Short mmCIF file of all heavy atoms in Angstrom, two decimals:
data_model
loop_
_atom_site.label_atom_id
_atom_site.label_comp_id
_atom_site.label_asym_id
_atom_site.label_seq_id
_atom_site.Cartn_x
_atom_site.Cartn_y
_atom_site.Cartn_z
N TYR Z 240 -347.83 -90.20 328.76
CA TYR Z 240 -348.70 -91.18 329.42
C TYR Z 240 -349.27 -90.51 330.66
O TYR Z 240 -348.53 -90.09 331.55
CB TYR Z 240 -347.91 -92.43 329.80
CG TYR Z 240 -348.76 -93.60 330.23
CD1 TYR Z 240 -349.22 -94.52 329.30
CD2 TYR Z 240 -349.10 -93.78 331.57
CE1 TYR Z 240 -350.00 -95.60 329.68
CE2 TYR Z 240 -349.88 -94.85 331.96
CZ TYR Z 240 -350.33 -95.76 331.02
OH TYR Z 240 -351.11 -96.83 331.41
N TYR Z 241 -350.60 -90.39 330.72
CA TYR Z 241 -351.26 -89.64 331.79
C TYR Z 241 -351.74 -90.61 332.87
O TYR Z 241 -352.33 -91.65 332.58
CB TYR Z 241 -352.43 -88.84 331.23
CG TYR Z 241 -352.03 -87.89 330.12
CD1 TYR Z 241 -352.26 -88.22 328.78
CD2 TYR Z 241 -351.39 -86.69 330.40
CE1 TYR Z 241 -351.86 -87.36 327.76
CE2 TYR Z 241 -351.00 -85.83 329.40
CZ TYR Z 241 -351.24 -86.16 328.08
OH TYR Z 241 -350.84 -85.32 327.07
N ILE Z 242 -351.51 -90.21 334.13
CA ILE Z 242 -351.87 -91.05 335.27
C ILE Z 242 -352.65 -90.22 336.27
O ILE Z 242 -352.20 -89.14 336.66
CB ILE Z 242 -350.62 -91.63 335.95
CG1 ILE Z 242 -349.65 -92.18 334.91
CG2 ILE Z 242 -351.00 -92.71 336.96
CD1 ILE Z 242 -348.27 -92.44 335.47
N GLY Z 243 -353.81 -90.71 336.70
CA GLY Z 243 -354.59 -90.06 337.74
C GLY Z 243 -354.40 -90.77 339.07
O GLY Z 243 -354.29 -92.00 339.12
N LYS Z 244 -354.34 -90.01 340.15
CA LYS Z 244 -354.14 -90.59 341.47
C LYS Z 244 -355.37 -91.37 341.89
O LYS Z 244 -356.49 -90.84 341.86
CB LYS Z 244 -353.84 -89.48 342.49
CG LYS Z 244 -353.48 -90.01 343.88
CD LYS Z 244 -353.08 -88.87 344.79
CE LYS Z 244 -352.61 -89.38 346.14
NZ LYS Z 244 -352.19 -88.28 347.04
N PRO Z 245 -355.23 -92.63 342.30
CA PRO Z 245 -356.38 -93.41 342.75
C PRO Z 245 -357.01 -92.80 344.00
O PRO Z 245 -356.33 -92.21 344.83
CB PRO Z 245 -355.78 -94.79 343.06
CG PRO Z 245 -354.47 -94.81 342.35
CD PRO Z 245 -353.99 -93.39 342.33
N ALA Z 246 -358.35 -92.92 344.12
CA ALA Z 246 -359.07 -92.37 345.28
C ALA Z 246 -358.72 -93.16 346.53
O ALA Z 246 -358.66 -94.39 346.52
CB ALA Z 246 -360.57 -92.41 345.02
N SER Z 247 -358.52 -92.45 347.66
CA SER Z 247 -358.21 -93.11 348.92
C SER Z 247 -359.49 -93.67 349.54
O SER Z 247 -360.60 -93.33 349.15
CB SER Z 247 -357.56 -92.12 349.88
OG SER Z 247 -358.47 -91.08 350.20
N GLN Z 248 -359.33 -94.54 350.57
CA GLN Z 248 -360.49 -95.12 351.24
C GLN Z 248 -361.31 -94.06 351.95
O GLN Z 248 -362.54 -94.11 351.95
CB GLN Z 248 -360.01 -96.19 352.24
CG GLN Z 248 -361.12 -97.05 352.82
CD GLN Z 248 -361.78 -97.92 351.78
OE1 GLN Z 248 -361.16 -98.23 350.77
NE2 GLN Z 248 -363.03 -98.30 352.00
N ASP Z 249 -360.65 -93.08 352.56
CA ASP Z 249 -361.38 -91.99 353.22
C ASP Z 249 -362.20 -91.20 352.21
O ASP Z 249 -363.33 -90.79 352.50
CB ASP Z 249 -360.39 -91.06 353.93
CG ASP Z 249 -359.71 -91.73 355.12
OD1 ASP Z 249 -360.27 -92.75 355.60
OD2 ASP Z 249 -358.66 -91.24 355.55
N TYR Z 250 -361.63 -90.99 351.02
CA TYR Z 250 -362.36 -90.25 350.00
C TYR Z 250 -363.60 -91.02 349.55
O TYR Z 250 -364.68 -90.45 349.37
CB TYR Z 250 -361.44 -89.99 348.80
CG TYR Z 250 -362.12 -89.31 347.64
CD1 TYR Z 250 -362.38 -87.95 347.64
CD2 TYR Z 250 -362.51 -90.06 346.53
CE1 TYR Z 250 -363.01 -87.34 346.57
CE2 TYR Z 250 -363.15 -89.46 345.46
CZ TYR Z 250 -363.39 -88.10 345.47
OH TYR Z 250 -364.01 -87.50 344.42
N LEU Z 251 -363.48 -92.35 349.40
CA LEU Z 251 -364.63 -93.16 348.99
C LEU Z 251 -365.73 -93.14 350.06
O LEU Z 251 -366.92 -93.07 349.74
CB LEU Z 251 -364.17 -94.59 348.70
CG LEU Z 251 -363.21 -94.76 347.51
CD1 LEU Z 251 -362.75 -96.21 347.41
CD2 LEU Z 251 -363.88 -94.32 346.22
N LEU Z 252 -365.35 -93.22 351.35
CA LEU Z 252 -366.34 -93.15 352.42
C LEU Z 252 -367.03 -91.79 352.44
O LEU Z 252 -368.25 -91.69 352.67
CB LEU Z 252 -365.66 -93.42 353.76
CG LEU Z 252 -365.16 -94.86 353.99
CD1 LEU Z 252 -364.38 -94.95 355.30
CD2 LEU Z 252 -366.35 -95.83 354.01
N HIS Z 253 -366.27 -90.74 352.21
CA HIS Z 253 -366.84 -89.40 352.16
C HIS Z 253 -367.86 -89.29 351.02
O HIS Z 253 -368.94 -88.71 351.20
CB HIS Z 253 -365.72 -88.38 351.98
CG HIS Z 253 -366.23 -86.97 351.77
ND1 HIS Z 253 -366.70 -86.19 352.80
CD2 HIS Z 253 -366.35 -86.23 350.63
CE1 HIS Z 253 -367.08 -85.02 352.31
NE2 HIS Z 253 -366.87 -85.01 350.99
N GLN Z 254 -367.54 -89.87 349.87
CA GLN Z 254 -368.46 -89.83 348.74
C GLN Z 254 -369.74 -90.60 349.04
O GLN Z 254 -370.84 -90.17 348.68
CB GLN Z 254 -367.78 -90.42 347.49
CG GLN Z 254 -366.66 -89.56 346.92
CD GLN Z 254 -367.19 -88.27 346.34
OE1 GLN Z 254 -367.23 -87.25 347.03
NE2 GLN Z 254 -367.61 -88.30 345.09
N GLU Z 255 -369.62 -91.74 349.72
CA GLU Z 255 -370.81 -92.54 350.06
C GLU Z 255 -371.69 -91.79 351.07
O GLU Z 255 -372.93 -91.78 350.95
CB GLU Z 255 -370.37 -93.89 350.63
CG GLU Z 255 -371.53 -94.82 350.94
CD GLU Z 255 -371.07 -96.17 351.44
OE1 GLU Z 255 -369.84 -96.39 351.51
OE2 GLU Z 255 -371.94 -96.99 351.77
N LEU Z 256 -371.08 -91.17 352.08
CA LEU Z 256 -371.84 -90.39 353.07
C LEU Z 256 -372.54 -89.22 352.40
O LEU Z 256 -373.71 -88.92 352.69
CB LEU Z 256 -370.89 -89.90 354.16
CG LEU Z 256 -371.51 -89.00 355.25
CD1 LEU Z 256 -372.60 -89.77 355.99
CD2 LEU Z 256 -370.45 -88.52 356.21
N HIS Z 257 -371.86 -88.56 351.47
CA HIS Z 257 -372.46 -87.44 350.75
C HIS Z 257 -373.67 -87.89 349.95
O HIS Z 257 -374.72 -87.20 349.92
CB HIS Z 257 -371.41 -86.82 349.84
CG HIS Z 257 -371.91 -85.62 349.07
ND1 HIS Z 257 -372.25 -84.43 349.69
CD2 HIS Z 257 -372.16 -85.45 347.74
CE1 HIS Z 257 -372.66 -83.56 348.77
NE2 HIS Z 257 -372.61 -84.16 347.58
N ALA Z 258 -373.59 -89.06 349.32
CA ALA Z 258 -374.71 -89.58 348.54
C ALA Z 258 -375.90 -89.90 349.44
O ALA Z 258 -377.06 -89.64 349.08
CB ALA Z 258 -374.27 -90.83 347.76
N ASN Z 259 -375.65 -90.45 350.63
CA ASN Z 259 -376.75 -90.76 351.57
C ASN Z 259 -377.44 -89.49 352.06
O ASN Z 259 -378.67 -89.44 352.20
CB ASN Z 259 -376.21 -91.55 352.76
CG ASN Z 259 -375.80 -92.96 352.36
OD1 ASN Z 259 -376.32 -93.50 351.37
ND2 ASN Z 259 -374.89 -93.56 353.12
N LEU Z 260 -376.65 -88.45 352.33
CA LEU Z 260 -377.25 -87.19 352.78
C LEU Z 260 -378.12 -86.57 351.69
O LEU Z 260 -379.19 -86.02 351.97
CB LEU Z 260 -376.14 -86.21 353.18
CG LEU Z 260 -375.37 -86.55 354.47
CD1 LEU Z 260 -374.21 -85.57 354.67
CD2 LEU Z 260 -376.32 -86.51 355.67
N LEU Z 261 -377.68 -86.68 350.45
CA LEU Z 261 -378.50 -86.17 349.33
C LEU Z 261 -379.80 -86.93 349.23
O LEU Z 261 -380.88 -86.35 348.96
CB LEU Z 261 -377.72 -86.27 348.02
CG LEU Z 261 -376.58 -85.26 347.82
CD1 LEU Z 261 -375.88 -85.54 346.50
CD2 LEU Z 261 -377.13 -83.84 347.82
N ALA Z 262 -379.77 -88.24 349.44
CA ALA Z 262 -380.99 -89.05 349.36
C ALA Z 262 -381.97 -88.67 350.47
O ALA Z 262 -383.18 -88.54 350.23
CB ALA Z 262 -380.63 -90.53 349.44
#
Side-chain angles (χ1 to χ4, degrees):
Y240 192 89
Y241 304 101
I242 314 165
K244 186 175 184 179
S247 64
Q248 191 66 25
D249 292 341
Y250 176 78
L251 295 176
L252 291 174
H253 174 77
Q254 291 293 93
E255 183 178 358
L256 177 61
H257 182 67
N259 290 335
L260 290 175
L261 286 177

